[in-house]
Structures are given as C-alpha cells and as structure tokens.
C-alpha cells in the first residue's frame, strides 16, 4: 500500500481577485512575477494528513489552486496511516491544546508508531523530491518527515496551524515529543506570534495568519433570493421561489438538495432579527452559554437565535459532538415556550462539503449578527467568514478572535467569555440598531479584504521564500 496519496489540484486564475483588490492587485502581480523566477525548475510540495474535512484541507484546496493558476508547480501529498497512527496524532493535537481527554501517554510506543508511519511516507516522497525543491510539512502529523526530507537538499518548512496562548505542562509535554524531530527544518511558520514554541530557534520563526477564499462555496456572494431558497431547502424558511444553486470552487454550478436536522417550534419569521453561531458542537465553543445569554439577556421580543453545527448523527468519530448537542437540546427544551419558540438548533448534513459550505454561507448571510462566544479559540474562521459577508460580530477576546475584531469598529469584543449579561447587552444593541450593524459590518468586510484573503497569504509565502532561497 502506498504511504502517501497525491491529491489532484485544478488551477484557478488569481485574476479573479483583481476586481476585489483594486489597485492592491498590483502586489499580487509582483508576487507572481517574483515567484516565477524564484521557483523556476522547482516543485513546491505541501504535505498534510487529509484531503477533505477540516480547515487545513479547505485552505490547501484554495491556495494551491491559485498557486497553480499563477504558474507554480505545486503538488499536494497526503500521509496515510492506520487507526493507531491517527489515535496518536489526535492525542498530540489535543495535548497541544492543553487537553488530556484520553489521559493517554506520548511515550516510546507512541513515538515508534508515529515515526514508522512518517518514515514510510518520507521515504516514498523523497524519491520524487529534488534538491532545490520546497517542502511544506503541515501540522504535527508530518513532523517526523522533516529530517528525511531535509536530507534530499530541499528547503523544508514546518507549518503549524494550531496553538495556545498560555502553554501548560500538557502542552509542553507535546512540544518535548515533537521538538527533536523539527531541528532540521529551515523555517517554522505559526498562525500567531503567541503560538511559536519555546525551544525553537526564534530566527527561523515566521508568523502568517490564516485566510479565507472569497470565491469558495462558503464565501461567494449569493443573491438574497438564493439565500432564501437555500434556507427553504434546509427547512428554516418556506416559500423560497428561486433555485437553491451555488458555485463550487472549480466554477461548476451545483444545487443544495439535502435538508438539515432542525429542532424548532416554528420556522424563521421572514423579517425577524437573527443572531447566529456556527460551530462544531464543542464545549469550548460554549453553545450552552450562547443559548442562555440569548434567552435571559437579549431583550428583543422578536429576535431569533440559530445555533448551527455539523450533523453528528452517523458521525461515529465524534461522540463528544453528539453529547454536546444532546446537552444543548435539553437546555432548549427547558426554556419557557416563548423563548424556546425563537431558538433553532440546526445540524447541517456533511455528506458533500461544498453543499454544507453553501448552507453555512446562506445562514451567515441571513444573520443580522454573528457571534463566536468561544471559551478558547485558535483563530476563529467563523468570525472571518461572517465579517467578509459584512456582518457585525460579537466574539470572545480569546486567541485569534481578539486580533480579528477591532472593538467598536468591526464588531464587539467580549472580554470575559462567561459574562452572559454583557454578551446579551452587546447583542441587543446590535440587533436593535440596523444602522450601527451595517456600519460595523462594512468595516468588518474591509478588514477581511485587506488582511484575511488568500492572496495576502500567498504574497507572504512568496516573500518568505524569496528571503530563504536567494
Ligand atoms: N463549519 C462548517 N460547517 C458546519 C460547522 C462549521 O463548514 O456545520 C466550518 C466553519 O464555517 C469554519 C470551520 O468549520 O470554516 C470552523 O473553523 P474555526 O476556525 O471557526 O473553528 P475550529 O472548528 O477550527 O475550532
């Protein structure tokens, strides 16, 4: 069995961004020109552990397509591995977030299995990599490939997408497990300065923030009648006359067919102000706090709350998600009928990730206000996505959320994520004041346009490579 799988990449034209970026598109053109001489004859490899599902795969699908469209020979390889390997990497992932959920060890046995899988993948890839190539290894799952691939004469960059503001002994334990494997990397890239590990050579650390794709099914512009039609198809509204169509990233047209699993007493009234949180069903996203804050502290009698997440039924690898959703359901059932009738729990089908993305898109666009009241957060792409749709946001001042939102300008920051009274007051203000909401939404969209689109990400990659390779 092959130790790596090659993921096909269909090129997309970066020119798509010209209109969005206006004069700033000049910087993209400069980066493309620099890249074409810098990367001539080189292959840029990206290696991670999945081609579907999760933020990193979503990011790579977009960024690598535009990089190909710009003329770079980029390739994408995925490391295979059995259940034992992924049990270990999930444990590393949890430990890096300070979670010791399965009380499991990262000891010699784990190191052996982890390295065995990474070694097989690295050996297979090393057959193709040539001196002068660039290899991006993404996240802990690929850390064991650094040494072997460095020995090929390629430039090796380890890109870590996760992190925590205040490392504890559990986090440091995971660092100790990985650090010896990373010594030979030419560069370490983190999403925030705070996430860079102690023990890594600071001279080799770069910070590159995440980004979103303005043209993906998740973020592309949808006309209001299509938003309505998609929400009708899902089951949140009725009378959607138009077709529930969207565009896939590759430009082809598609239709939303599946329905969502929804707990609701009534559908969404057409003009009701709507507050939304979209998240995995996870305690750290605090859906229970959002529900309680809405029911007890939002004083608009016609406002509705949408709590939206992936369908957990039939997803056997996320028992925690089903449990959290169960708790949220029970809390909703316990509300008095008036409040309960304005709370909708929406579980979106996950069979087709782009269909799911179009549903998220329509829901965010129908929202008056989007919140992300996380107790802890890596970056918080749900906020970026809502801001891009010119929605005002209320986010906890934790992790990357605190950086994305300028308090009072592009949204509101909740200093203490557990302060439900302040949360309710801020939400009431925004839900009741369409002019304020519109002003903040516009400022939010502009912030995403200048800071969080994939073109900025690609420019930073080119700048970093030109410092390293020349
Ligand atoms: N998401 C989705 N469908 C869902 C729920 C969430 O596509 O039903 C997406 C959401 O739009 C965002 C990502 O999952 O792109 C979550 O990223 P974020 O950084 O907010 O949190 P994470 O899940 O990585 O902790």
């Amino acid at each position: 069995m092959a130790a790596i799988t090659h993921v096909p990449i269909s090129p997309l034209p970066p020119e798509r961004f010209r209109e969005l970026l206006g004069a700033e598109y000049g910087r993209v053109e400069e980066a493309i020109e620099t890249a074409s001489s810098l990367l001539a004859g080189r292959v840029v490899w990206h290696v991670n552990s999945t081609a579907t599902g999760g933020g990193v795969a979503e990011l790579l699908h977009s960024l690598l397509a535009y990089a190909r469209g710009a003329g770079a020979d980029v390739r994408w390889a995925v490391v295979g591995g059995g259940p034992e390997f992924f049990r270990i990497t999930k444990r590393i992932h949890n430990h890096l977030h300070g979670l010791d959920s399965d009380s499991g060890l990262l000891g010699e046995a784990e190191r052996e299995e982890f390295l065995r899988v990474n070694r097989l993948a690295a050996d297979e890839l090393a057959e193709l990599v040539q001196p002068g190539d660039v290899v991006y290894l993404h996240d802990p799952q690929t850390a064991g490939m650094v040494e072997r691939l460095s020995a090929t004469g390629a430039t090796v960059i380890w890109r870590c997408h996760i992190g925590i503001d205040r490392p504890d002994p559990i986090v440091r334990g995971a660092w100790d497990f990985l650090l010896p494997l990373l010594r030979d990397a030419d560069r370490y890239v983190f999403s925030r300065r705070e996430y860079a590990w102690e023990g890594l050579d600071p001279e080799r650390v770069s910070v590159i923030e995440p980004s979103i794709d303005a043209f993906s099914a998740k973020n592309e512009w949808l006309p209001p009648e299509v938003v309505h039609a998609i929400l009708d198809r899902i089951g949140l509204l009725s009378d959607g006359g138009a077709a529930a169509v969207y565009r896939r990233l590759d430009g082809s047209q598609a239709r939303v067919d599946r329905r969502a699993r929804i707990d609701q007493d009534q559908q969404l009234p057409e003009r009701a102000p709507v507050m939304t949180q979209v998240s995995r069903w996870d305690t750290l996203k605090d859906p229970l706090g959002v529900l309680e804050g809405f029911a007890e502290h939002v004083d608009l009698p016609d406002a509705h709350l949408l709590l939206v997440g992936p369908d957990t039924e039939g997803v056997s690898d996320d028992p925690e998600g089903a449990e959290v959703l169960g708790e949220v359901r029970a809390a909703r059932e316990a509300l008095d009928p008036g409040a309960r009738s304005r709370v909708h729990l929406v579980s979106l089908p996950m069979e087709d990730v782009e269909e799911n993305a179009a549903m998220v898109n329509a829901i965010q666009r129908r929202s008056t206000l989007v919140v992300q009241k996380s107790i802890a957060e890596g970056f918080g792409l749900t906020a970026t996505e809502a801001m891009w749709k010119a929605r005002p946001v209320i986010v906890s001042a934790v992790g990357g959320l605190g950086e994305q939102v300028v308090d009072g300008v592009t949204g509101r920051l909740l200093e203490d994520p557990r302060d439900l009274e302040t949360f309710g007051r801020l939400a009431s203000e925004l839900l009741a004041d369409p002019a304020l909401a519109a002003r903040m939404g516009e400022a939010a969209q502009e912030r995403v346009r200048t800071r969080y689109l994939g073109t900025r990400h690609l420019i930073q990659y080119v700048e970093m490579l030109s410092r390293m390779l020349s």
Side-chain angles (χ1 to χ4, degrees):
M1 206 180 80
I4 51 173
T5 312
H6 295 272
V7 184
I9 304 167
S10 319
L12 285 173
E15 287 77 26
R16 268 182 169 184
F17 287 88
R18 189 185 289 279
E19 202 183 317
L20 268 188
L21 295 178
E24 294 152 48
Y25 188 74
R27 290 193 57 210
V28 178
E29 286 178 311
E30 275 168 35
I32 292 174
E33 210 177 301
T34 308
S36 75
S37 56
L38 195 67
L39 300 177
R42 303 182 203 258
V43 173
V44 180
W45 302 87
H46 285 259
V47 187
N48 79 325
S49 64
T50 176
T52 51
V56 177
E58 192 171 315
L59 185 76
L60 290 179
H61 271 294
S62 285
L63 285 189
L64 303 192
Y66 292 117
R68 270 246 175 127
D73 187 354
V74 288
R75 317 270 181 96
W76 182 358
V78 167
V79 181
E84 180 58 13
F85 174 74
F86 286 111
R87 198 178 56 75
I88 296 165
T89 58
K90 175 80 188 187
R91 187 177 291 167
I92 298 173
H93 180 96
N94 283 345
H95 284 205
L96 286 173
H97 282 116
L99 282 175
D100 187 12
S101 43
D102 67 352
S103 306
L105 281 175
L106 291 174
E108 256 332 291
E110 286 75 20
R111 178 183 306 277
E112 240 169 67
E113 172 62 10
F114 178 75
L115 286 181
R116 187 187 67 79
V117 172
N118 265 214
R119 223 174 267 131
L120 284 175
D123 284 342
E124 198 171 307
L125 194 60
E127 298 280 320
L128 304 173
V129 173
Q130 295 185 25
D133 283 1
V134 176
V135 183
Y136 281 86
L137 297 172
H138 292 265
D139 283 331
Q141 290 90 324
T142 61
M145 299 172 71
V146 169
E147 192 181 332
R148 175 74 186 89
L149 292 167
S150 284
T152 63
T155 295
V156 174
I157 297 164
W158 187 63
R159 171 52 153 141
C160 186
H161 296 269
I162 56 180
I164 186 166
D165 279 331
R166 275 175 290 278
D168 62 11
I170 296 174
V171 178
R172 289 201 162 81
W175 290 358
D176 290 343
F177 184 90
L178 295 168
L179 271 169
L181 307 174
L182 298 171
R183 299 263 176 249
D184 291 345
D186 298 284
R187 203 85 208 158
Y188 310 106
V189 181
F190 291 90
S191 296
R192 300 179 64 220
R193 175 70 52 199
E194 291 78 357
Y195 295 167
W197 303 358
E198 296 151 17
L200 290 174
D201 173 9
E203 298 284 308
R204 280 185 274 165
V205 170
S206 289
V207 176
I208 298 183
E209 289 183 302
S211 58
I212 60 167
D213 185 345
F215 300 104
S216 65
K218 177 87 56 73
N219 297 310
E220 63 159 344
W221 185 75
L222 296 173
E225 63 276 14
V226 172
V227 169
H228 194 115
I230 294 177
L231 297 185
D232 177 348
R233 189 64 214 163
I234 296 174
L236 271 171
L237 287 175
S238 35
D239 306 324
V245 289
Y246 65 99
R247 250 180 335 151
R248 295 186 184 276
L249 186 62
D250 66 10
S252 62
Q253 186 172 288
R255 192 184 63 191
V256 171
D257 293 325
R258 294 184 177 83
R259 302 185 75 81
R261 207 182 294 276
I262 306 182
D263 290 51
Q264 63 184 359
D265 294 353
Q266 57 164 334
Q267 288 186 319
L268 212 50
E270 193 157 339
R271 288 182 203 290
V274 174
M275 170 168 123
T276 299
Q277 176 162 292
V278 178
S279 284
R280 289 178 293 106
W281 303 103
D282 185 319
T283 327
L284 290 177
K285 308 288 184 181
D286 199 20
L288 280 173
V290 176
L291 184 126
E292 190 186 330
F294 175 80
E296 289 182 13
H297 301 288
V298 170
D299 54 14
L300 264 81
D302 60 341
H304 283 242
L305 170 67
L306 301 181
L307 284 173
V308 182
D311 194 359
T312 57
E313 270 177 45
V315 184
S316 53
D317 70 347
D318 189 15
E320 209 178 299
E323 210 173 287
V324 172
L325 176 58
E327 286 165 16
V328 181
R329 278 204 175 117
R332 179 182 173 278
E333 285 302 321
L335 293 174
D336 71 68
R340 196 183 61 217
S341 69
R342 294 183 291 114
V343 174
H344 314 249
L345 307 184
V346 186
S347 294
L348 298 178
M350 296 297 294
E351 284 87 348
D352 177 338
V353 285
E354 290 196 279
E355 180 187 56
N356 173 277
M359 293 175 181
V360 171
N361 190 347
I363 288 172
Q364 287 167 333
R365 287 183 192 279
R366 171 61 184 87
S367 305
T368 318
L369 162 69
V370 173
V371 303
Q372 192 56 57
K373 208 187 78 58
S374 305
I375 305 299
E377 189 62 73
F379 185 73
L381 283 170
T382 51
T384 332
E385 291 157 10
M387 288 165 69
W388 174 244
K389 291 159 190 125
R391 295 294 166 261
V393 294
I394 299 176
V395 301
S396 310
V398 296
L401 288 171
E403 241 150 279
Q404 291 188 61
V405 174
V406 184
D407 191 32
V409 182
T410 64
R412 298 308 308 265
L413 281 179
L414 184 64
E415 285 305 326
D416 173 6
R418 297 184 200 270
D419 178 357
L420 297 184
E421 213 177 308
T422 305
F423 174 65
R425 180 175 53 76
L426 296 176
S428 305
E429 281 168 16
L430 275 162
L431 288 167
D433 188 344
L436 176 68
R439 215 166 42 241
M440 282 192 179
E442 264 165 47
Q445 186 177 51
E446 180 56 15
R447 188 162 170 82
V448 176
R449 197 181 67 81
T450 53
R451 272 185 78 146
Y452 298 117
L453 293 182
T455 37
R456 183 270 305 152
H457 208 142
L458 288 174
I459 290 171
Q460 280 182 296
Y461 273 168
V462 171
E463 286 170 351
M464 182 178 74
L465 287 180
S466 61
R467 280 194 304 272
M468 293 174 71
L469 300 177
S470 46

